[in-house]
Amino acid sequence: MMPLLDIKNLELSFNSYKGLTQVLHGIDLNIKKGERVALVGESGSGKSVTARLVLGLLQEARNAKASGEVLFDGSDVNQMKNKDRAGLRGTDISMIFQDPTSSLNPSFTIETQFHDVLKRRTPDLTKEMSFERACALLDDVAIPDPKRVLKSYNFQMSGGMNQRIMIAMALANKPKLLLADEPGTALDVTVQSQTLQLMRDLVSENDTAVLLISHNLGVVREFADRLYVIYRGRIVEEGPTALIFNNPQHAYTKALLSAIPRITGGGLPQIAEQTDDYLAPKITHGAI
Amino acid sequence: MSFFEIQNLSKTFKTKHGDVNAVQDVSFSVEQGECLAVVGESGSGKSTIANMILGILAPTSGAISMKGSKLPQKRSKEHRRAIQFVQQNPLSALNPKRTIGASVRLGLDTYHMGEPQERWSQVEKALSDVGLDAELRSRSPSGLSGGQRQRVSIARALACEPELLVLDEPTSALDVLVQARVLQLLNALRIEKNLTYIFITHDLAVVRNVADRVAVFKAGQLVELDTTENIFTNPGTQYTRELINAVPVIDEDEIMLKNKLVANL
Amino acid sequence: MIRAFHILKSNPLSLVGMILVLTITLCAVFAPLIAPFPDHNGAVVEFLNANKAPSAQNWMGTDLVGRDIFSRIIYAYQISLVLGVVVLAISTPIGTVVGLIAGYKGGWIETVLMRITDVFLSVPPLVLAIAMMGVLEPTLTNAMLAVTAMWWPWYARLVYNIARSEREEGYVLAAEVIGASSNHITFREILPNCLPAIITKMTLDMGFVIIIASSLSFLGLGVQPPTPDLGSMVAEGARYLPDSWWLSVFPGLAILLAVFGFNLLGDGLREILGVEE
């Protein structure tokens, strides 16, 4: 089966007065329909810019140079016209971000924002129709009293509530691919845990593919079927989640896994923040 | 007599929506050399407690004592020096318009520690104690990574030679590998300099590996206080169980631990 | 520094600004050497040569009593720059201190200081200056006084806004916990973070001070003859438009160039210093 998202040899460089800085060194990544894939790395690894390239955001930037292919449903996002790229966002590809409250506009009610989102798929939708649809969507994310919530503003609600609203908006137009950038990081653990559970249920209902971007291996373990480990713009290890967690091969992946404190204790390990071992060639696990 | 003690500490904020009881009748003590973790979600009051301990927020009622003597609201220089602080956000903790050395030196100058001409070498020692190059002192913070900045914050706090260090989520904003290194550093420094830590965090996995005892807070109240071992093997309250259960874990062993706790929920 | 050069390169207009400002400053500083008729800045009359159109001898023509306009403009630049520098040298520190204290201390100090500032800001700037000049003798010194009085509140407001937001930053909290004095926090921690905005504003302000001063002298309230001043020169020549156009047009253009130059330079500085709005 052809993958929904197929990234081949993606490279990205930024131009500044200091010169050309290469940020991505040939990324290969694919996601099939309905699959949940995680891209794991620390800050500066390139995981966030990869997401932005999939969304078609960075290709237009003046000082960014991207090469390689980002095939979404067969078409290369890198080669598309700006208009077509913009057309994908909010319809076939949507994204949720780290901080739910600041992702929502404080000047408009939730109702208005839902209307804007739903109109992208159905331009002639009336306010009444989108209100009804939004109520149903908020029901799906287990928000009590959706009518009141729709009339409210983001600053009147808790982080957890806003996170659910954001998920509902992201899934409103039944996207084929959902990008999630560190979801729940800004929330309390208990709320984050509930949110992830919710996301899992919703995406499997609709067969939505997910690209989860995270540095939190615990979250990745609970959520993703497959994962790619990215270090300084290169994929260093990829494979099914269970295989990698049970038997990490690459030096960087091993370091990441042993650096995380366990609730069972065991103390803090000695970790090298940076060594040449981390630049060893990519390791691919098992049958995909 | 405990090294550091909080007795019946309360703080009520008056807002236009009425009174907010951020901290309600909290009491606990800390022994010298130990690391007490303060755990709770948002709204638990842990930051408010930290601010009161640091003397930048006046309690509504209750007392804070160190080595037997009560700390007045208007702290003396000696009292101030004895309690120092490391904050969460490395990006905002250092003044972008001052050199690293100037930032680290602030405490030395404020407390008139040593002769002025000796203070630069004290700054350099503080930097090397946290694993940084002494020559960093003439640089601005802008080129530094999050981990390096956090080390500078630690150096700034320790340059004052405090006895008690309040750490508010010191590694939450750091990458995985960096966090491991900084936690190692903090542990080593505590032992080396015989420091006492009040370690505020939401990350229970970190707590398990750094703390001697754990204080769990919810909505301004102290819900449970016990040794780390006990909290994780046999938590006394439902809330603590829920907190532990919510941690996203990695190992099979951790899952087993969670299952054991959930069975008793 | 390299970054500064790169910004100037990608923003050629600010380079233009810098050149204009440099030229004007050189004129002002070396006036006696550059002006073709250096004594024409004083009480000189040459009625035979009065009111002549621009020629090879007088590049910008002569005024009603025969003085070379080009020379007078160069000397007028001197006056304008001196006025600008003095006004800013006095009003900037006053405004900055007010803004810093109000922004950091908060409470009733903030209220009192900012309300006083608001009162000054609520009067249209030129009106305040005119009112003051109405009471004082029209001299250069008094003109500077009047403009200074209406200028400092703008700095107070600018610095107040920055101080208020910087006060929430982690480094201020760190300094407070360490027990640094309020003086230290205000002047050694917060002030350096206000400097880029202050410097940018000062550069932009030079142009505006020149306009205000020219407006005052246009109304006869500033510098008095025979001292050359751009505003007075425009006023004198206004009656003779459009016939003896050179009397007003050249001084007017001189004002334009000065304001333009400082504005462009200020914009460039804003980018280089990374000032956020």
Side-chain angles (χ1 to χ4, degrees):
Chain A
M1 183 171 68
M2 202 183 74
L4 174 67
L5 178 69
D6 201 355
I7 301 178
K8 295 192 194 160
N9 201 23
L10 182 62
E11 291 182 351
L12 178 69
S13 301
F14 284 114
N15 216 344
S16 75
Y17 68 93
K18 294 196 201 119
L20 208 62
T21 319
Q22 191 169 11
V23 171
L24 294 179
H25 301 265
I27 304 282
D28 293 312
L29 185 154
N30 61 70
I31 306 182
K32 296 189 199 45
K33 180 168 175 227
E35 229 192 341
R36 295 196 295 261
V37 170
L39 183 57
V40 178
E42 299 182 289
S43 52
S45 58
K47 57 191 200 297
S48 297
V49 293
T50 305
R52 273 158 182 69
L53 283 170
V54 170
L55 270 176
L57 282 174
L58 272 183
Q59 284 85 343
E60 304 165 32
R62 214 174 35 158
N63 60 338
K65 263 210 295 265
S67 67
E69 293 180 317
V70 177
L71 298 170
F72 179 73
D73 228 359
S75 326
D76 189 358
V77 175
N78 278 352
Q79 301 299 328
M80 279 184 198
K81 293 210 213 28
N82 288 345
K83 201 168 62 107
D84 297 325
R85 277 199 277 259
L88 281 178
R89 295 196 278 273
T91 50
D92 284 335
I93 307 183
S94 69
M95 185 158 179
I96 60 177
F97 300 89
Q98 201 166 342
D99 185 355
T101 309
S102 62
S103 301
L104 295 167
N105 193 328
S107 308
F108 298 104
T109 58
I110 305 296
E111 176 187 358
T112 314
Q113 296 182 63
F114 261 108
H115 185 61
D116 287 337
V117 168
L118 290 166
K119 258 196 339 198
R120 287 186 55 75
R121 264 285 199 227
T122 347
D124 48 354
L125 202 67
T126 64
K127 284 226 151 175
E128 293 77 34
M129 283 159 63
S130 69
F131 189 86
E132 258 187 62
R133 179 117 179 76
C135 277
L137 289 164
L138 288 181
D139 239 352
D140 284 343
V141 294
I143 285 187
D145 201 359
K147 290 196 171 64
R148 186 186 60 87
V149 166
L150 283 171
K151 297 286 183 199
S152 314
Y153 293 86
N154 71 330
F155 50 82
Q156 295 171 310
M157 295 180 289
S158 69
M161 224 28 161
N162 285 326
Q163 181 77 300
R164 289 163 188 260
I165 293 172
M166 197 163 69
I167 294 175
M169 277 193 206
L171 297 174
N173 288 328
K174 301 225 189 295
K176 298 186 182 148
L177 175 65
L178 172 68
L179 301 174
D181 192 347
E182 313 270 8
T185 315
L187 303 173
D188 287 329
V189 221
T190 48
V191 180
Q192 181 186 53
S193 165
Q194 286 166 12
T195 307
L196 288 170
Q197 173 103 322
L198 181 69
M199 258 176 68
R200 258 210 315 267
D201 297 337
L202 285 173
V203 300
S204 54
E205 256 174 52
N206 291 303
D207 227 11
T208 314
V210 180
L211 178 61
L212 173 73
I213 294 146
S214 182
H215 67 276
N216 187 331
L217 282 166
V219 165
V220 167
R221 199 191 153 286
E222 280 181 24
F223 190 86
D225 307 315
R226 268 192 312 127
L227 72 98
Y228 291 83
V229 180
I230 184 171
Y231 175 68
R232 303 237 256 156
R234 293 178 170 81
I235 303 284
V236 296
E237 194 158 3
E238 65 176 82
T241 310
L243 279 185
I244 295 191
F245 273 78
N246 286 338
N247 191 18
Q249 301 275 299
H250 194 277
Y252 181 64
T253 316
K254 287 200 253 196
L256 275 186
L257 282 169
S258 56
I260 298 172
R262 309 289 203 266
I263 57 172
T264 40
L268 307 162
Q270 287 279 15
I271 299 285
E273 256 170 72
Q274 228 173 285
T275 101
D276 286 333
D277 291 344
Y278 295 166
L279 291 167
K282 181 165 89 165
I283 298 179
T284 310
H285 283 247
I288 300 169
Chain B
M1 181 192 79
S2 307
F3 174 69
F4 181 82
E5 208 172 319
I6 293 187
Q7 292 141 330
N8 306 107
L9 201 64
S10 297
K11 180 67 185 174
T12 307
F13 289 108
K14 296 199 180 306
T15 72
K16 50 187 175 187
H17 302 290
D19 285 352
V20 174
N21 293 327
V23 176
Q24 297 170 44
D25 200 29
V26 170
S27 303
F28 63 77
S29 63
V30 188
E31 295 312 316
Q32 185 159 24
E34 95 169 297
C35 176
L36 173 73
V38 169
V39 172
E41 302 188 293
S42 45
S44 57
K46 51 191 208 288
S47 293
T48 312
I49 293 176
N51 287 343
M52 288 193 282
I53 293 176
L54 292 168
I56 50 185
L57 185 64
T60 311
S61 64
I64 301 176
S65 328
M66 189 146 160
K67 292 199 272 206
S69 51
K70 195 170 134 165
L71 299 177
Q73 182 43 35
K74 194 108 172 63
R75 304 251 172 119
S76 69
K77 280 238 152 108
E78 265 318 295
H79 282 145
R80 274 210 177 279
R81 192 173 87 125
I83 306 180
Q84 287 300 322
F85 178 50
V86 175
Q87 52 187 282
Q88 176 172 8
N89 184 354
L91 290 176
S92 122
L94 301 174
N95 191 336
K97 296 279 184 251
R98 301 190 94 210
T99 61
I100 306 271
S103 289
V104 173
R105 205 188 137 127
L106 184 58
L108 300 174
D109 291 331
T110 310
Y111 300 121
H112 307 298
M113 293 172 65
E115 293 302 315
Q117 51 267 44
E118 296 167 357
R119 288 184 197 151
W120 280 125
S121 55
Q122 284 178 281
V123 165
E124 288 176 358
K125 172 153 191 322
L127 286 175
S128 69
D129 276 351
V130 297
L132 290 175
D133 222 339
E135 62 102 27
L136 235 58
R137 74 161 164 94
S138 41
R139 296 226 329 235
S140 109
S142 62
L144 264 51
S145 68
Q148 286 173 310
R149 284 169 193 253
Q150 210 60 329
R151 287 171 193 259
V152 172
S153 279
I154 296 170
R156 175 173 56 188
L158 294 183
C160 305
E161 290 173 15
E163 296 176 60
L164 174 68
L165 201 57
V166 176
L167 303 113
D168 192 350
E169 309 270 10
T171 57
S172 303
L174 303 178
D175 279 331
V176 181
L177 298 188
V178 181
Q179 168 171 278
R181 297 276 304 265
V182 174
L183 286 175
Q184 272 274 8
L185 173 71
L186 284 171
N187 240 12
L189 287 169
R190 176 166 68 97
I191 297 168
E192 183 189 313
K193 297 181 189 277
N194 195 23
L195 295 167
T196 310
Y197 285 177
I198 294 183
F199 198 113
I200 301 166
T201 180
H202 68 281
D203 190 335
L204 284 169
V206 168
V207 168
R208 182 74 205 252
N209 292 283
V210 304
D212 299 308
R213 284 189 307 144
V214 184
V216 181
F217 285 85
K218 182 180 179 186
Q221 292 179 317
L222 177 57
V223 158
E224 188 167 350
L225 173 58
D226 207 343
T227 64
T228 310
E229 184 73 31
N230 285 350
I231 292 265
F232 281 87
T233 51
N234 196 15
T237 63
Q238 166 102 329
Y239 182 61
T240 310
R241 273 178 224 279
E242 283 170 12
L243 278 185
I244 299 175
N245 194 38
V247 179
V249 294
I250 314 253
D251 290 342
E252 291 299 322
D253 295 337
E254 293 181 289
I255 301 176
M256 278 187 351
L257 177 72
K258 284 218 267 183
N259 288 341
K260 219 174 60 144
L261 295 180
V262 167
N264 299 344
L265 254 174
Chain C
M1 269 285 95
I2 311 168
R3 192 174 146 262
F5 174 64
H6 204 83
I7 290 180
L8 283 174
K9 207 167 64 118
S10 55
N11 192 359
L13 281 180
S14 48
L15 206 57
V16 170
M18 195 161 80
I19 294 173
L20 278 174
V21 169
L22 266 169
T23 313
I24 293 172
T25 314
L26 283 172
C27 283
V29 170
F30 295 110
L33 299 172
I34 300 180
F37 296 89
D39 44 332
H40 282 197
N41 76 321
V44 162
V45 288
E46 271 188 37
F47 283 114
L48 283 178
N49 216 12
N51 213 0
K52 287 275 197 289
S55 63
Q57 193 194 28
N58 302 97
W59 298 343
M60 293 185 182
T62 59
D63 67 358
L64 298 170
V65 295
R67 292 176 293 197
D68 177 43
I69 289 185
F70 179 54
S71 305
R72 285 180 63 77
I73 285 182
I74 290 178
Y75 274 94
Y77 267 148
Q78 202 177 51
I79 305 274
S80 302
L81 283 194
V82 164
L83 191 140
V85 166
V86 170
V87 166
L88 290 178
I90 300 177
S91 58
T92 308
I94 296 177
T96 302
V97 169
V98 169
L100 273 176
I101 297 177
Y104 177 61
K105 292 285 198 175
W108 64 267
I109 298 182
E110 173 182 359
T111 314
V112 166
L113 286 176
M114 290 322 286
R115 293 299 80 80
I116 295 176
T117 308
D118 284 342
V119 166
F120 274 86
L121 285 174
S122 63
V123 181
L126 198 52
V127 170
L128 182 58
I130 292 174
M132 285 186 71
M133 293 311 288
V135 174
L136 304 164
E137 248 184 79
T139 64
L140 178 61
T141 317
N142 287 339
M144 289 199 275
L145 209 69
V147 178
T148 306
M150 50 150 287
W151 217 265
W152 71 263
W154 299 95
Y155 284 92
R157 160 87 42 103
L158 173 74
V159 173
Y160 167 69
N161 283 328
I162 301 177
R164 242 188 4 161
S165 100
E166 289 299 306
R167 153 172 108 181
E168 308 301 322
E169 289 291 308
Y171 67 83
V172 171
L173 177 62
E176 286 172 347
V177 170
I178 284 187
S181 67
S182 284
N183 269 356
H184 172 93
I185 295 180
T186 319
F187 293 102
R188 306 292 302 281
E189 302 277 348
I190 298 184
L191 176 58
N193 286 285
C194 303
L195 281 178
I198 295 176
I199 293 174
T200 305
K201 181 166 169 53
M202 283 172 79
T203 310
L204 290 169
D205 274 355
M206 276 300 287
F208 295 131
V209 170
I210 292 178
I211 289 193
I212 297 278
S214 307
S215 312
L216 281 180
S217 39
F218 183 88
L219 296 171
L221 294 173
V223 173
Q224 295 300 304
T227 320
D229 177 275
L230 296 173
S232 331
M233 288 164 79
V234 174
E236 276 167 25
R239 268 168 294 170
Y240 298 89
L241 289 168
D243 304 304
S244 302
W245 55 270
W246 57 90
L247 295 174
S248 289
V249 167
F250 285 116
L253 277 177
I255 298 178
L256 178 74
L257 276 180
V259 175
F260 197 48
F262 279 106
N263 266 18
L264 290 178
L265 180 60
D267 276 342
L269 270 184
R270 180 189 282 138
E271 249 199 85
I272 293 174
L273 295 174
V275 176
E276 288 155 20
E277 287 302 293

